[in-house]
């Protein structure tokens, strides 16, 4: 048995955020055989209300440090690298190192497990015990794709600066951790071009007990759903792309089809979609499951970003058919990929949605087989 200190930003107790969900699940499994401690950085305005997981049975002790992001410093961070975390987050690095060192001595910590920016950067040069960095996805790959998909000269230039910043930071991180873990081999392979390191793949999973069909909730036909944190740029892009280029084609065949956009912190351009009577933008909901279960099809038209999409695994666990882009599905294994419908053009995407709406048996079959695979 080992004593492991989990160091993370943000809180690992938010069910609606993929990164937090990953840290929570990994901690839960490690706690079966090891003693787990938690040091978490959180924003001052973070609210852990109905999104909180149980934590007493996982962590032996928790240290929490609230921080305030200096939003006005973001513009300078476009040209900053290793110093960016200290500019954007007013944490004194030496104080954080002293706190970690004290925890290590008091609790006899064997290993640090670190996930999330800026704590991964602030602890990169910490010495004393082996450090595992759960990078999850390659940020450089994500920003490279954002740059390639940006329109307009100014947006293109900003995206390019973000890409250069991410590349410098990621290279520094890879060189300063003993082990780096990723969700998929695609991200690990891309990162390997930046710097050498000891890489391991730990794919995401899904809680199939929590994400289980609820027979009392009936399908609202015809309906589609996209769910996720709605101030996350790849999600915003996916919804607007779907609404502008795909949804009109589906409506020509199914005029009454309804599109649900479910997730916290929707941007103004997403909220404005509520003006369309065929769209419902919910904002934060207490429980995402009823919205997914009542929808006929889950759509995931991602064009930017990287890594594994938890929303695919959750939808499969709830026995819902899925239409997604190849980018959204790239981190899935072949068995999972065989149970989602992949489309990379608006025409192809709409065509597969229409086919599924016309065929209830196929929707049910792919839903049933999807849950079987993720279990």
């Amino acid at each position: 048995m080992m004593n492991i200190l989990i160091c993370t930003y943000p809180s690992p107790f938010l069910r609606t955020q993929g990164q937090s969900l990953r840290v929570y699940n990994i901690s839960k499994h490690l706690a079966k055989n090891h003693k787990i401690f938690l040091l978490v950085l959180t924003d001052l305005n973070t609210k852990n209300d109905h999104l909180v997981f149980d934590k007493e049975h996982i962590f032996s002790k928790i240290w929490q440090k609230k921080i305030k992001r200096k939003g006005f410093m973001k513009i300078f961070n476009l040209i900053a690298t290793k110093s960016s975390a200290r500019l954007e987050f007013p944490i004194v690095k030496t104080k954080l190192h002293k706190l970690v060192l004290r925890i290590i001595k008091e609790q006899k910590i064997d290993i640090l497990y670190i996930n999330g920016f800026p704590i991964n950067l602030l602890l990169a040069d910490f010495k004393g015990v082996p450090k595992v960095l759960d990078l999850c996805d390659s940020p450089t790959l994500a920003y490279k794709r954002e740059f390639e998909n940006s329109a307009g000269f100014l947006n293109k230039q900003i995206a390019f600066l973000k890409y250069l910043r991410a590349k410098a930071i990621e290279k520094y991180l890879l060189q300063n951790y003993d082990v780096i873990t990723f969700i998929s081999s695609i991200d690990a392979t891309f990162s390997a071009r930046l710097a050498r390191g000891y890489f391991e793949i730990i794919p995401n999973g899904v809680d199939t007990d929590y994400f289980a069909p609820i027979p009392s909730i009936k399908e609202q036909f015809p309906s589609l759903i996209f769910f996720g944190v709605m101030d996350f740029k790849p999600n915003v892009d996916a919804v607007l792309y779907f609404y502008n280029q795909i949804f009109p084609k589906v409506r020509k065949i199914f005029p009454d089809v309804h599109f649900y956009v479910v997730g916290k912190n929707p941007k103004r351009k997403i909220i404005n979609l509520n003006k369309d009577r065929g769209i419902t933008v919910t904002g934060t909901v207490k429980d995402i499951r009823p919205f997914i279960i009542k929808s006929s099809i889950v759509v995931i038209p991602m064009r930017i970003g990287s890594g594994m999409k938890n929303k695919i695994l959750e939808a499969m666990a709830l026995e819902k058919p899925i239409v997604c882009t190849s980018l959204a599905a790239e981190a899935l294994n072949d068995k999972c990929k065989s149970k989602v419908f992949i489309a990379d053009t608006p025409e192809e995407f709409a065509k597969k949605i229409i086919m599924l709406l016309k065929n209830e048996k196929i929707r049910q079959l792919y839903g049933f087989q999807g849950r079987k695979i993720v279990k």
Side-chain angles (χ1 to χ4, degrees), residues 5 100-101 104 108-113 126-132 178:
L5 176 61
V100 172
L101 188 60
I104 289 173
K108 296 181 171 58
I109 300 298
D110 298 298
I111 290 178
L112 298 185
Y113 166 96
F126 182 86
K127 306 295 182 182
V129 295
K131 306 192 305 287
V132 176
D178 301 286

Side-chain angles (χ1 to χ4, degrees), residues 197-231:
Y198 185 88
F199 298 167
E200 289 284 353
I201 310 300
I202 304 177
N204 280 349
V206 60
D207 185 342
T208 53
D209 292 328
Y210 181 82
F211 288 98
I214 303 173
S216 60
I217 300 177
K218 303 303 179 184
E219 178 184 345
Q220 178 189 324
F221 180 87
S223 60
L224 313 171
I225 186 172
F226 178 93
F227 60 98
V229 178
M230 287 316 305
D231 59 356

Side-chain angles (χ1 to χ4, degrees), residues 19 75 80 122 223 248 278:
Q19 181 181 327
I75 186 67
L122 293 168
S223 60

Side-chain angles (χ1 to χ4, degrees), residues 225-284:
I225 186 172
F226 178 93
F227 60 98
V229 178
M230 287 316 305
D231 59 356
F232 182 48
K233 187 169 184 177
N235 287 344
V236 174
D237 175 81
V239 168
L240 295 178
Y241 165 60
F242 181 81
Y243 177 73
N244 291 318
Q245 299 190 43
I246 300 170
F247 195 49
K249 294 177 173 57
V250 177
R251 275 176 147 172
K252 285 182 180 179
I253 308 301
F254 290 91
D256 297 330
V257 66
H258 199 88
F259 179 37
Y260 289 93
V261 180
V262 183
K264 68 176 185 177
N265 302 334
K267 292 279 191 179
R268 175 55 56 185
K269 59 182 72 174
I270 299 297
I271 294 174
N272 288 340
L273 297 181
N274 270 323
K275 297 175 183 178
D276 187 324
R277 293 200 301 176
I279 311 288
T280 297
V281 178
T282 66
T284 301

Side-chain angles (χ1 to χ4, degrees), residues 23-79:
V23 175
Y24 170 80
N25 283 325
I26 286 177
S27 301
K28 182 175 67 174
H29 283 279
L30 286 173
K32 295 176 181 178
N33 299 302
H34 305 284
K35 197 171 183 179
I36 309 299
F37 302 86
L38 175 67
L39 168 60
V40 58
L41 301 186
T42 59
D43 290 314
L44 286 173
N45 59 353
T46 297
K47 295 179 180 179
N48 294 343
D49 40 28
H50 56 267
L51 303 177
V52 176
F53 285 105
D54 293 332
K55 53 183 179 289
E56 287 75 14
H57 66 292
I58 296 177
F59 300 105
S60 299
K61 191 170 182 179
I62 297 174
W63 295 264
Q64 181 169 302
K65 189 173 184 64
K66 285 188 175 288
I67 58 176
K68 185 177 182 180
R69 184 189 297 259
K70 289 187 175 180
F72 68 91
M73 295 302 297
K74 287 183 179 181
I75 186 67
F76 298 104
N77 287 345
L78 292 177
I79 57 174

